[in-house]
Amino acid sequence: MIGQLEDLLEQLDALRARAIAELAPIDSSAALDEWDVRYLGRNRGELKNTSAVMPRLTKEERPVVGQKINTVKAELERQLTAKREALKQQALQQALEQERVDVTLPGRAITSGHMHPLSQIILEVTHIFVNMGFHVVQGLEVETDYHNFQALNIPADHPARDMQDTFWVNPGQILLRTHTSPMQVRTMKQTRPPVRIVVPGKVYRNEAIDASHEAMFHQIEGLLVDEACTMADLKGCLERFAQELFGDGRQLRFRGSYFPFTEPSAEVDIDCIMCDGKGCRVCKYSGWLEILGCGMVHPKLLREVGYDPKTYRGFAFGMGVERIAMLKYGIGEIRLFSANDLRFLRQF
């Protein structure tokens, strides 16, 4: 038995020496993990296999062999920990060498941002009307049914409500505004004529999203009320706007239309900016592009806000900002404005 015990102790010394010798040249974490499994693995490690002889030893031999196994195991684990730390420091040093900063190089310029194309259009359009004597006002995006519909001559049973699918916050009372027109009512209730305002802002429609429609988009509303105001004034104002925005010589066409809060009402077209009115795919070969709706303020609306329609008259107009931007920049997909694609936005 004594010879068997000595052989077992010699095997453990040899295992320790062999393991330490194999550990020295290891230079990667993967190889180190393989060494760990081979010698210290819980299931098939060589040290674990050596421990399997313990049941065959006598009561006197077991403590001697067990102590030897624990000594070898502690030594190998210490060597393993030291090697892991050495490899970690080596990797860190290599990274520092490769990522060294050359302080003599010039600094990198910070890329400047710029205005979104829709913001640019809003600014350009409002600037044109400000130069004509209008004032820019902001409105509420969460509106009452009264200001969004009823005061604008759109009662609860009016078929025009079918044209504006609505996001209701409190059905029949509070909603996300479907147009910027409520500011007509709010402004006129707080101001005596003359009134000249443009109202840019977001509006919301509960409708399907496709290449030409979004659930949230932007409008610019315009309103002028004074004692002397005619359809000719409206046409002159919009002609100047179109020529300022789309270029001199732009031709306008007014087509009869219907809006509950204006009478008479009209849709406004410009001659196609792509083909100069000759007819192309963009204008569907008609030579014209629709840009906005307008009309003379309905007498019912004037009476609703306390204006005497026999003394005061006015005109109003409204345009979709995305529509204007798509025409001005030749864009065929409305969803590009909200996709946050820098390849698109950097063009403006």
Side-chain angles (χ1 to χ4, degrees):
M1 287 296 183
I2 295 177
Q4 181 180 356
L5 176 61
E6 291 178 350
D7 289 342
L8 190 55
L9 295 178
E10 288 178 359
Q11 290 177 19
L12 288 171
D13 285 333
L15 185 151
R16 176 178 60 183
R18 185 174 72 254
I20 293 175
E22 291 182 8
L23 182 63
I26 290 178
D27 59 357
S28 70
S29 296
L32 187 61
D33 290 339
E34 291 179 3
W35 182 94
D36 185 9
V37 171
R38 184 164 63 253
Y39 288 103
L40 297 173
R42 294 184 177 181
N43 297 324
R44 292 175 297 176
E46 291 195 26
L47 200 59
K48 181 69 175 178
N49 293 338
T50 304
S51 302
V53 302
M54 293 289 287
R56 297 196 298 269
L57 300 177
T58 64
K59 184 183 297 184
E60 293 77 13
E61 291 173 334
R62 289 175 187 172
V64 177
V65 174
Q67 183 178 4
K68 187 66 174 181
I69 290 174
N70 289 337
T71 300
V72 172
K73 181 179 180 182
E75 175 66 14
L76 295 184
E77 287 178 342
R78 186 183 65 79
Q79 294 278 352
L80 175 64
T81 301
K83 191 66 175 181
R84 284 195 188 279
E85 183 62 26
L87 290 179
K88 181 180 178 181
Q89 292 299 323
Q90 181 181 348
L92 177 61
Q93 187 62 33
Q94 290 177 350
L96 291 174
E97 289 292 333
Q98 295 173 358
E99 300 172 7
R100 180 176 295 173
V101 176
D102 186 350
V103 296
T104 65
L105 292 174
R108 297 175 181 174
I110 298 176
T111 304
S112 299
H114 63 280
M115 294 182 68
H116 191 279
L118 294 182
S119 298
Q120 294 182 39
I121 289 294
I122 290 173
L123 187 62
E124 189 173 356
V125 170
T126 54
H127 181 71
I128 291 172
F129 285 106
V130 166
N131 286 340
M132 287 191 276
F134 288 76
H135 300 281
V136 180
V137 297
Q138 299 290 331
L140 304 174
E141 293 183 23
V142 179
E143 266 291 1
T144 65
D145 179 84
Y146 171 78
H147 290 95
N148 195 83
F149 289 127
Q150 297 178 37
L152 292 168
N153 196 30
I154 312 176
D157 58 350
H158 199 289
R161 293 207 183 197
D162 296 336
M163 300 163 54
Q164 302 184 20
D165 296 328
T166 307
F167 287 108
W168 289 97
V169 178
N170 185 355
Q173 298 181 30
I174 307 297
L175 52 94
L176 298 182
R177 66 180 179 186
T178 61
H179 47 187
T180 49
S181 302
M183 278 307 294
Q184 291 186 28
V185 179
R186 291 185 177 275
T187 300
M188 287 190 288
K189 279 183 173 292
Q190 299 172 4
T191 309
R192 303 308 302 171
V195 176
R196 298 182 183 88
I197 61 169
V198 285
V199 188
K202 298 175 184 176
V203 298
Y204 304 86
R205 303 279 178 88
N206 188 8
E207 58 188 6
I209 298 175
D210 56 31
S212 58
H213 296 84
E214 283 270 28
M216 186 278 290
F217 53 100
H218 299 76
Q219 282 188 346
I220 297 180
E221 191 88 11
L223 172 71
L224 185 148
V225 179
D226 208 338
E227 293 183 7
C229 182
T230 66
M231 192 73 174
D233 297 317
L234 170 60
K235 294 181 67 176
C237 179
L238 295 181
E239 284 176 358
R240 179 176 176 182
F241 155 72
Q243 292 178 3
E244 289 279 347
L245 187 65
F246 295 107
D248 293 336
R250 207 82 273 155
Q251 300 296 312
L252 265 67
R253 180 178 71 173
F254 288 76
R255 294 179 288 107
S257 185
Y258 169 76
F259 301 107
F261 35 87
T262 55
E263 181 61 37
S265 305
E267 299 280 1
V268 180
D269 305 330
I270 59 171
D271 55 326
C272 181
I273 58 180
M274 302 297 179
C275 63
D276 289 328
K278 297 181 178 64
C280 66
R281 182 180 60 84
V282 175
C283 63
K284 299 179 180 178
Y285 302 96
S286 67
W288 297 95
L289 296 169
E290 180 183 328
I291 59 170
L292 56 85
C294 65
M296 302 301 293
V297 178
H298 201 291
K300 286 187 177 181
L301 176 54
L302 293 175
R303 281 192 288 268
E304 182 69 31
V305 298
Y307 289 4
D308 184 356
K310 295 181 179 179
T311 304
Y312 300 109
R313 303 178 66 185
F315 64 73
F317 55 85
M319 66 191 77
V321 176
E322 283 82 354
R323 172 69 173 169
I324 297 297
M326 292 171 73
L327 294 177
K328 185 173 177 65
Y329 298 129
I331 299 169
E333 171 65 72
I334 193 173
R335 289 171 289 193
L336 288 171
F337 292 119
S338 56
N340 293 327
D341 188 336
L342 293 179
R343 295 171 299 176
F344 169 75
L345 297 176
R346 284 173 179 155
Q347 300 177 61
F348 302 94

